Amino acid sequence: MIESPNAHRLQAVSSMQDIFPAYHDTPISLLLEYHNLERPFDTWDKAQVLIGMCMDNRKQLRIPDNFAYIIRSGGGNLRPSEFKVSYAIGVGGVTTIALLAHDNCGMVNVQTKREQFVSGLVENAGWTREAAEAHFNSFSPLFEIGESIDFVLSEAKRLRERYPKILVAPLFYNIADRRLALIHEE
């Protein structure tokens, strides 16, 4: 079950007819076909899409080699990776970005994980408590995403404004069934 107040905005993709018309004949459709519909892999010489997704280890995509650049970061937040996004567009030639939110993301309400974060750095990395607290205080605001669907929609809007000729599609990865869903933008 998807834990999100915006779960009603998701469109499951179980057939080609479920894919929004705006994504037909684009790398977004291919991504959904490969991952959800088990389309046989095509051979690619260069990346067709940039995928921004969370670093969460529970998420794996079914895509062919060379099909995508993938940037993995906490919450799928591409703000700190914008040079890499620009590289994929400017040098790699991609014209499409897929942004993947997911359920049960650790970057949602990251402030509630402060003590676990600090204690973990002290115990596992040998940091002083003061250094770990300062690190958390400095960087947690940059990586806090709020609610995952709201965040991916705002990130899609930001990237569309930054790169107006690029197709940007917000998608949702359900951890339980390992399927991608489309997000209705309203």
Side-chain angles (χ1 to χ4, degrees):
M1 180 54 111
I2 297 170
E3 296 175 16
S4 168
N6 289 314
H8 68 282
R9 298 180 78 182
L10 300 179
Q11 168 69 46
V13 176
S14 300
S15 72
M16 290 292 293
Q17 291 74 29
D18 296 326
I19 299 172
F20 296 161
Y23 299 141
H24 289 186
D25 300 317
T26 72
I28 299 302
S29 180
L30 288 172
L31 171 61
L32 294 164
E33 291 172 48
Y34 290 136
H35 186 79
N36 283 20
L37 307 180
E38 299 183 8
R39 174 185 172 133
F41 287 169
D42 299 296
T43 302
W44 298 99
D45 293 328
K46 69 179 210 92
Q48 303 300 299
V49 61
L50 167 65
I51 299 171
M53 62 190 289
C54 188
M55 60 187 252
D56 192 301
N57 63 306
R58 298 171 292 172
K59 296 185 0 239
Q60 299 299 320
L61 295 175
R62 182 188 177 279
I63 56 174
D65 290 343
N66 302 321
F67 175 69
Y69 290 106
I70 300 175
I71 299 175
R72 292 183 78 127
S73 65
N77 182 348
L78 294 183
R79 289 177 291 198
S81 300
E82 195 160 308
F83 184 83
K84 297 172 194 173
V85 172
S86 296
Y87 185 92
I89 294 167
V91 177
V94 299
T95 58
T96 305
I97 299 173
L99 297 175
L100 277 58
H102 71 95
D103 51 336
N104 302 309
C105 183
M107 291 297 117
V108 172
N109 298 317
V110 75
Q111 291 296 326
T112 64
K113 298 164 186 79
R114 185 179 193 280
E115 182 52 36
Q116 181 183 6
F117 182 98
V118 170
S119 296
L121 284 177
V122 170
E123 293 170 24
N124 300 329
W127 287 33
T128 66
R129 176 162 280 287
E130 295 75 26
E133 288 172 345
H135 186 59
F136 184 87
N137 294 340
S138 292
F139 290 99
S140 62
L142 177 62
F143 292 98
E144 166 67 50
I145 67 166
E147 196 280 329
S148 60
I149 292 175
D150 287 340
F151 174 77
V152 77
L153 290 172
S154 69
E155 186 68 348
K157 181 178 187 256
R158 183 185 76 78
L159 290 170
R160 287 175 183 144
E161 290 170 359
R162 182 86 166 131
Y163 305 101
K165 292 175 72 175
I166 302 299
L167 173 64
V168 181
L171 304 174
F172 191 87
Y173 186 102
N174 184 335
I175 297 291
D177 67 10
R178 298 180 171 192
R179 309 261 300 169
L180 293 172
L182 293 161
I183 300 175
H184 292 282
E185 298 183 65
E186 298 168 350

